[in-house]
Amino acid sequence: MNRKWITFGVGAVIVAALVGTSVPANAATGTVGEVPSRNTPWLLSSTPMQNVRRLVPCGDLMYAVGTISAVGQGSHTYTRGNAFSFSQTTGAVTAWNPAVNGPVNDIALSPDCRTAYLGGSFTSVHGTSATNIAAVDTTTGAVKSSFRHNSGAAVYTVDYTHGQILVGGAFGNINGAARTEFASLDPSTGTVTPYANLAISGRYPRTSKKIDNSQLSHSGNKLLVEGVFTSIGGHARQQVAVFDLGATTVTLDGWNASGLAQSCVLSETYYTRSAAWSPDDQTIYGVSTGYHPLSGPGSSTSQPRAGLCDAAFAFSAASTAQNPLWINYTGCDSYYGVVADSQNVYVGGHERWANNPNGCDSAGPGALSRPGLADLDPVGGSANSWNPTRALGHGADDLVLTPAGLWVASDTFKQGKAQMCGHQTNHGGICFLPY
C-alpha cells in the first residue's frame, strides 16, 4: 500500500468515559469554539504545581484526577485530595473527596457510575491503607474493602472493559499475584484474573519499565497502550502496542511501527505519550515529546525535522507492520494529548507552533502559531485556522471530547502563568471549549 509522507498534521481520538463499552460517536459536528466556558472549576494558582492528569465523564459528572489540593469554582474554594468531581453542565463541585494521599494517574468508572477505580502512587485513600490501586464509592469516597488494593509499584492507567479492570503501570506484582506492567482484575474483588497475562519486558536509557497510557477502541475490542517496553509476548514493540481484547483472553495484535524504535534525545527516550483511534478505528494517531532524534537525519537543530520526535503522526490501524501516513512537527516542542472526531484532530502540549518541519525552538518557513492547542485536518494533517491559545505551563496532559465540547486537562506550572485558556483567566488545570 502506498503511503503519503507530508510534514503536516496528526490526529487522535480519546473519547468519553472508560466504562467498558464501545464509545458512542459524538453527537455534535463541526469545530468547537475558541471561547471557554466560565462555569468550570480550576486549580488554584496559589498552590504550586497542581495538575489534572485525567478527565473522565460518567453520567452528568466529570471526574478529575492528578496532583490536586485546592480547587476554585465561582466564588468558592475546595480542598481535595488528588481527585474530585463536578457537574459537566453547571461546573458545580460535588462533595466527593476520596482524600488520596498521593498522585492519582488514572480513573475508570463502573457502568453504573457508582464505583471509581483509581490508580496512582499513593498509600492511603479516605483514611484507609491502599497502595497504588483502589476502588472507591463515588458518593462517599470511601474505599470498597471487598476490592483488593495493593500494587507493588505505581499504576498509571485503568480501563473497565469486558467485565475486567485492566491496569497498567510499573508493577511486578499486584493484589498478591505476579504480573509485569499489565494485569486484569475482577471488578468486585480486585483479584487478578487470567484474562491478561502478557510477557512484557525491556526499557530505554534513563527510564523505568511501565505501561503509561491506554485507550479503548470504539468497538471495545482493541486497546492501545503506550509505555516503556521493547518486547511483548516475544515480539518487538516500542513506545506503542495494540492488544486484542477477546472474550476470554488478551493477546498482542500484529500492528507494529518500526519507526517508533528510533531514539529521541537521551533525556526523553520514552516519547510517545498518547495515542488514539480514529472514529472508525481504522487509523491510529500518536503525539510525542522527544525534542529531536538522537542520531541521523534531524538530530541537529539546524536540520529539517525527521523521525517521530516532538510531532503528531498517523498510522493505519491494520494488524501488520506500518509506516507513518503523515507527520506534523511542532519545531522541537512537546505534545502530550490528542483527541478527534471525524472532522477535527485536536492536539495539545506545550507547543508553540504547528506545521513547523524546518524550525527547532523557532518558527521555520510556513510555521503557524498554535500555543498550547491546535486543530489538525484528519485527512491531510495540516493545522486548521482554529486557534484559541492556551498558556503553555508543562502542557495539556489529556483531551476529552463529549457531545458538548472539548475538555482540556493541564497544570498550574509557573503558577499564575498557566491559568490562561482562550484568552481568559481561571482555567488552570481545566478548560472547556463548547460547540
Side-chain angles (χ1 to χ4, degrees), residues 61-259:
L61 295 182
M62 182 70 75
Y63 291 80
V65 299
T67 301
I68 299 163
S69 57
V71 179
Q73 200 277 327
S75 61
H76 302 283
T77 59
Y78 304 88
T79 300
R80 291 292 182 265
N82 299 309
F84 71 99
S85 64
F86 60 94
S87 168
Q88 294 186 64
T89 53
T90 69
V93 176
T94 73
W96 186 66
N97 181 15
V100 187
N101 75 340
V104 179
N105 295 320
D106 204 0
I107 178 173
L109 283 299
S110 60
D112 61 8
C113 300
R114 293 181 178 179
T115 302
Y117 300 90
L118 307 179
S121 299
F122 51 78
T123 58
S124 175
V125 179
H126 212 261
T128 299
S129 294
T131 305
N132 303 324
I133 184 78
V136 305
D137 188 287
T138 54
T139 300
T140 67
V143 171
K144 295 199 170 184
S145 58
S146 61
F147 184 90
R148 303 183 69 177
H149 39 266
N150 192 338
S151 172
V155 172
Y156 290 103
T157 180
V158 186
D159 296 279
Y160 192 127
T161 186
H162 288 68
Q164 308 277 332
I165 305 299
L166 301 182
V167 295
F171 51 81
N173 62 82
I174 186 168
N175 287 348
R179 289 289 190 275
T180 301
E181 300 176 56
F182 192 75
S184 55
L185 311 177
D186 183 283
S188 298
T189 66
T191 302
V192 173
T193 71
Y195 183 68
N197 190 10
L198 296 163
I200 303 173
S201 62
R203 57 183 291 271
Y204 315 137
R206 304 185 188 181
T207 63
S208 299
K209 297 187 300 179
K210 63 180 177 179
I211 298 293
D212 180 61
N213 206 348
S214 62
Q215 303 83 27
L216 283 166
S217 64
H218 297 282
S219 69
N221 293 326
K222 291 180 182 288
L223 184 73
L224 273 166
V225 297
E226 299 86 60
V228 179
F229 44 78
T230 59
S231 176
I232 300 177
H235 299 277
R237 295 290 188 275
Q238 293 200 30
Q239 306 284 335
V240 182
V242 178
F243 295 161
D244 292 323
L245 306 179
T248 60
T249 190
V250 176
T251 57
L252 179 67
D253 187 81
W255 183 91
N256 66 92
S258 61

Side-chain angles (χ1 to χ4, degrees), residues 271-289:
Y271 55 85
T272 304
R273 300 299 180 86
S274 188
W277 305 92
S278 63
D280 61 5
D281 291 337
Q282 297 302 301
T283 305
I284 290 172
Y285 304 96
V287 291
S288 67
T289 179

Side-chain angles (χ1 to χ4, degrees), residues 412-426:
T412 61
F413 182 58
K414 297 182 181 177
Q415 298 187 37
K417 295 181 181 179
Q419 296 290 308
M420 298 288 292
C421 184
H423 306 287
Q424 293 182 5
T425 58
N426 289 349

